[in-house]
Amino acid sequence: MRYLLSIALIVLSIENIYSQVAFDSFCLTEATVSGLTSIDGSDEFEIDLYESKFLPDDTILLAIKQKRPNNGIGEFVIRAFDNEYHVVGRFDDRQTGNLALKHNSCTNGASVIYVDKVESRGYREIPLAWQATGLSSNLDEIVFRADIVSNQQIYRVKSAPLKRRSGPEFIPYSEDQSVNIDYCGESQGCLIVPQNCNNQAKCDYALSWQVLDEQTAKFHIVARASGFVGVGFSNDEKRGDDQVILCTKDAQGYVYVRNMFVSVQTPQYISSDRPSYGLRDTDGYANASHIICKFIRTLSLDADTPVDNSGKNRDGANNRNKIVNLKEPHYMYPVYADQDLVTSKGMRIPVQDIPIVNNHPINFERRIYPKSHPRAGSFLAKIHAILNIIAWILLASAGVMVSRYFDTIWPEYERRVVVDGNGVVTGEKLQRRRRFSFLSVFQPTMITVAILTWVAFFAILFELDWQWTHGTHHMWHSILGVIVLVCAFLAPIFGILRPTPRTKRYCCWYWIHWLIVALAQCLAVPVIFLGMDNRRLDLWTWCSWLLFGWCIFHFIVQLIFEIHACCHARQDYERFEDPDYYPEKNHDHRIRRERVPGESWKPALLGIYMLVTLIVVIILILAVIFYDGY
């Protein structure tokens, strides 16, 4: 028994340290091995390109990597293909560890690199180098394909496209040429210079960023410069010992994206042999006046540490510990200059050219989930939102509802019987009600609405440092809000100037007052909707749906009241046209109305409406209070 176990162990050891496969069809899109099946390997392995652009005769560094723990990379074949699936370029002969790299030449002179024997259980990463030699001048894109043997299977993997680098004579015409300031604080974060510039007043420097997922963020820089542009990340508000991503323009006008660490004395690459370490999908263009740069950066590199088969770090990042973790609060500052980065004395220190530093810490971790804004809702922004919700959702809607549909149920004047000294009825007259009427409810309500609206306005002005907001979304919120503000101010003033009822002046006053109040109420609710998606107070999506549901409920209740009013409009018209109704025309004879249409059910429906509205307002206020960003 021991003898059999010893033989089994020896065979297993030999298999672990020595295995060999025979590849077929090196120059085709898929290599085959007799007896092995092939599957898609994009979930297990990847081809990581250290550059996203190439020029003829460039050397492109790349690596075959393990994406998650598995049996590792065994034997493999890798080649570069053009658009017509022809193998192009040549691989360098540099060796990796104990791997014996082999070459196979195709009919067009291009080469394929492969390993058919691995004296190990598998590698986690295999760095390689490819030269863009012998390429057609019309070739704009290259894709690398690899067939990796692992765990007795072939895994098919392909890289992201490697595109030809565009020179200064070509800048693609698209929206990517500029940063749209209108979306700053909504769908993207921004850092702009000067800080009051907009799409019409061109910025000297504009940076936008969007968080794509839990691990990556996309950056876009457009700056007026002829030397280099970029962005600096710092753990404090001081310059120096920072990570800086630079987009540099060379003498031929090509733009390269580099990840650097800038110490107090000298700048250095994060990775000595991989300038764009930690970046992907880098792209850059330049003309005589501007440099345009785009890249995707990993928020935290701790989750992706390439190691070799022995477990040691093999990424060559000598300053890797200097990379700022964007999942933690940090500071950002702009970088742009007209001078060349490289001088006769070496690389310049780019932070010496930076006039300003963003003094607000940024937390990308908060920008991962659905909505993303630089900070949580401020106290004054919450006050602004709460006061407007109370004013226009609760008070104004109730006041307008009472004034429009309850003037007959709770009239300002009521008919009283006139008797003589003997108690004999001699007639009727109109007398002002001492109890509350629709006017005694509406007028104080609208005064309160105006006060709350103005207090909310000054609160947000103080929050904005008394400056006007920028951006289309915020501009509409501000413009419509100012219209509501003016109408809220005029409504109580016109209410105090109310003339004697049932006169010609009263008719003119009525329609002017109605227009002011109706305009304010119709605009107030859309303004609140816009405010729910504001950069300083971006509430949860369900809050908008709740308010939308309340709008439908409000419309149904108002429709019921309106239909009832239309059904009895003729009775009210005849009543108003009756000459005996006007006290100034006939003082001795009045008509008594025993019952008013709807006096039994209309107050009940109003009570239900007020209860539902109060519940909605309380929920929205609690949402505003407990909102703390995403």
Side-chain angles (χ1 to χ4, degrees):
M1 186 65 180
R2 291 180 180 178
Y3 178 74
L4 294 176
L5 289 177
S6 299
I7 294 176
L9 289 174
I10 292 173
V11 172
L12 183 60
S13 300
I14 293 175
E15 183 180 0
N16 285 337
I17 64 173
Y18 179 83
S19 63
Q20 186 169 2
V21 297
F23 287 105
D24 295 326
S25 308
F26 286 108
C27 297
L28 298 181
T29 56
E30 293 184 355
T32 59
V33 177
S34 177
L36 298 183
T37 59
S38 64
I39 61 174
D40 180 14
S42 57
D43 293 334
E44 300 290 336
F45 304 97
E46 66 177 341
I47 302 174
D48 185 12
L49 301 180
Y50 292 178
E51 293 281 353
S52 60
K53 301 286 184 177
F54 76 92
L55 287 173
D57 298 325
D58 274 355
T59 297
I60 304 298
L61 301 180
L62 65 149
I64 306 175
K65 288 184 177 181
Q66 177 190 66
K67 293 181 69 173
R68 60 185 182 183
N70 51 41
N71 290 313
I73 303 169
E75 296 76 20
F76 66 89
V77 177
I78 185 169
R79 53 270 197 236
F81 289 97
D82 60 12
N83 297 331
E84 298 180 353
Y85 298 102
H86 296 148
V87 178
V88 293
R90 299 188 63 84
F91 283 89
D92 282 355
D93 291 327
R94 63 181 66 183
Q95 297 297 309
T96 302
N98 297 324
L99 286 176
L101 298 178
K102 298 181 180 181
H103 293 265
N104 182 79
S105 296
C106 299
T107 56
N108 60 355
S111 71
V112 171
I113 196 168
Y114 68 98
V115 172
D116 60 1
K117 181 177 66 175
V118 174
E119 297 178 357
S120 173
R121 294 192 60 183
Y123 283 75
R124 300 182 183 181
E125 176 185 353
I126 299 176
L128 301 166
W130 175 84
Q131 292 183 340
T133 59
L135 304 183
S136 169
S137 60
N138 298 325
L139 182 58
D140 294 327
E141 184 175 292
I142 294 169
V143 174
F144 291 87
R145 292 176 179 268
D147 300 305
I148 303 169
V149 176
S150 179
N151 194 27
Q152 298 301 308
Q153 278 192 323
I154 299 178
Y155 292 87
R156 313 290 189 189
V157 183
K158 70 176 182 177
S159 70
L162 178 66
K163 299 182 179 180
R164 181 183 291 269
R165 191 177 299 277
S166 300
E169 71 281 356
F170 174 77
I171 295 182
Y173 182 78
S174 67
E175 294 181 356
D176 291 340
Q177 293 187 50
S178 61
V179 174
N180 194 336
I181 308 301
D182 289 346
Y183 297 108
C184 292
E186 297 177 6
S187 59
Q188 64 187 24
C190 289
L191 180 62
I192 56 178
V193 180
Q195 295 185 359
N196 59 350
C197 72
N198 51 50
N199 289 327
Q200 286 69 39
K202 299 300 183 182
C203 305
D204 293 333
Y205 174 97
L207 162 69
S208 69
W209 67 83
Q210 294 176 306
V211 173
L212 303 179
D213 52 44
E214 295 184 0
Q215 291 296 333
T216 56
K218 182 179 181 180
F219 293 82
H220 182 192
I221 303 174
V222 178
R224 193 187 308 273
S226 58
F228 57 87
V229 304
V231 57
F233 301 101
S234 177
N235 290 318
D236 52 41
E237 296 185 56
K238 300 178 181 179
R239 304 183 187 96
D241 292 336
D242 302 329
Q243 180 203 355
V244 177
I245 298 175
L246 293 181
C247 307
T248 62
K249 184 171 70 171
D250 64 8
Q252 289 72 37
Y254 296 108
V255 176
Y256 294 85
V257 184
R258 300 292 183 250
N259 201 349
M260 303 184 67
F261 168 71
V262 180
S263 63
V264 178
Q265 296 180 348
T266 58
Q268 308 168 27
Y269 290 122
I270 293 293
S271 176
S272 57
D273 59 351
R274 184 181 175 185
S276 59
Y277 176 79
L279 309 176
R280 62 180 177 87
D281 294 345
T282 60
D283 202 358
Y285 311 96
N287 56 23
S289 60
H290 285 76
I291 296 177
I292 301 170
C293 179
K294 295 182 290 182
F295 57 89
I296 293 178
R297 183 200 187 279
T298 303
L299 298 182
S300 174
L301 295 179
D302 295 337
D304 182 20
T305 306
V307 293
D308 61 14
N309 199 47
S310 62
K312 297 181 179 180
N313 187 352
R314 294 193 55 187
D315 57 15
N318 47 313
N319 289 299
R320 188 177 185 280
N321 59 333
K322 303 297 184 181
I323 294 181
V324 176
N325 184 2
L326 299 190
K327 289 192 174 184
E328 299 293 335
H330 62 280
Y331 295 84
M332 295 173 56
Y333 53 81
V335 178
Y336 59 103
D338 290 330
Q339 297 84 4
D340 293 334
L341 179 65
V342 180
T343 67
S344 58
K345 298 181 180 180
M347 286 191 292
R348 304 171 69 249
I349 302 178
V351 293
Q352 293 177 344
D353 305 303
I354 301 167
I356 64 172
V357 173
N358 180 33
N359 57 0
H360 294 292
I362 299 172
N363 192 341
F364 277 82
E365 186 74 10
R366 276 191 169 168
R367 303 179 59 80
I368 290 176
Y369 299 105
K371 294 294 182 72
S372 52
H373 292 289
R375 57 175 174 164
S378 66
F379 175 77
L380 291 177
K382 292 183 178 184
I383 294 296
H384 174 79
I386 290 173
L387 293 182
N388 278 304
I389 290 173
I390 295 175
W392 293 102
I393 302 299
L394 180 64
L395 298 180
S397 58
V400 172
M401 196 81 74
V402 169
S403 67
R404 184 172 178 84
Y405 303 111
F406 286 79
D407 56 338
T408 57
I409 296 179
W410 301 323
E412 183 182 4
Y413 294 89
E414 62 182 0
R415 294 175 176 80
R416 294 298 179 93
V417 176
V418 179
V419 298
D420 57 15
N422 299 323
V424 178
V425 176
T426 59
E428 295 178 337
K429 70 175 183 177
L430 292 178
Q431 180 175 329
R432 187 181 294 272
R433 292 166 60 97
R434 294 185 178 181
R435 295 173 297 170
F436 79 95
S437 64
F438 81 96
L439 190 64
S440 62
V441 173
F442 175 73
Q443 195 70 3
T445 299
M446 296 310 296
I447 293 175
T448 305
V449 168
I451 294 174
L452 294 179
T453 304
W454 276 89
V455 172
F457 174 71
F458 284 113
I460 199 64
L461 271 184
F462 188 81
E463 164 69 17
L464 296 174
D465 294 329
W466 308 93
Q467 295 180 358
W468 194 261
T469 56
H470 298 285
T472 302
H473 175 87
H474 307 293
M475 188 66 70
W476 278 112
H477 176 78
S478 302
I479 292 174
L480 297 179
V482 168
I483 296 175
V484 172
L485 190 73
V486 173
C487 292
F489 176 76
L490 294 177
I493 296 177
F494 270 82
I496 296 174
L497 300 178
R498 180 171 177 263
T500 304
R502 317 306 176 191
T503 61
K504 292 182 178 180
R505 287 192 304 166
Y506 180 87
C507 182
C508 296
W509 171 90
Y510 174 84
W511 285 109
I512 294 175
H513 189 260
W514 176 87
L515 179 62
I516 294 173
V517 175
L519 180 63
Q521 188 188 24
C522 290
L523 294 180
V525 175
V527 169
I528 293 176
F529 268 111
L530 292 173
M532 285 184 172
D533 194 25
N534 191 279
R535 68 180 65 179
R536 283 177 171 78
L537 191 65
D538 185 10
L539 295 182
W540 297 277
T541 305
W542 63 263
C543 294
S544 298
W545 284 108
L546 177 64
L547 185 58
F548 179 74
W550 174 85
C551 290
I552 296 177
F553 173 73
H554 173 86
F555 173 79
I556 293 174
V557 173
Q558 189 166 4
L559 183 64
I560 295 173
F561 284 145
E562 194 66 38
I563 293 174
H564 179 266
C566 290
C567 292
H568 295 86
R570 185 172 182 81
Q571 296 180 21
D572 293 336
Y573 175 78
E574 292 175 349
R575 164 189 163 194
F576 294 152
E577 289 296 317
D578 189 342
D580 291 335
Y581 178 80
Y582 297 93
E584 64 272 21
K585 294 183 178 181
N586 193 327
H587 298 280
D588 299 325
H589 182 67
R590 298 291 182 270
I591 299 176
R592 181 192 299 273
R593 278 197 176 276
E594 297 297 335
R595 291 181 59 83
V596 177
E599 64 181 3
S600 59
W601 61 269
K602 287 175 72 175
L605 181 57
L606 179 64
I608 296 174
Y609 172 83
M610 290 300 301
L611 178 62
V612 174
T613 303
L614 182 62
I615 294 174
V616 171
V617 168
I618 291 175
I619 294 175
L620 291 177
I621 290 175
L622 291 176
V624 172
I625 292 174
F626 290 107
Y627 167 79
D628 194 31
Y630 289 114

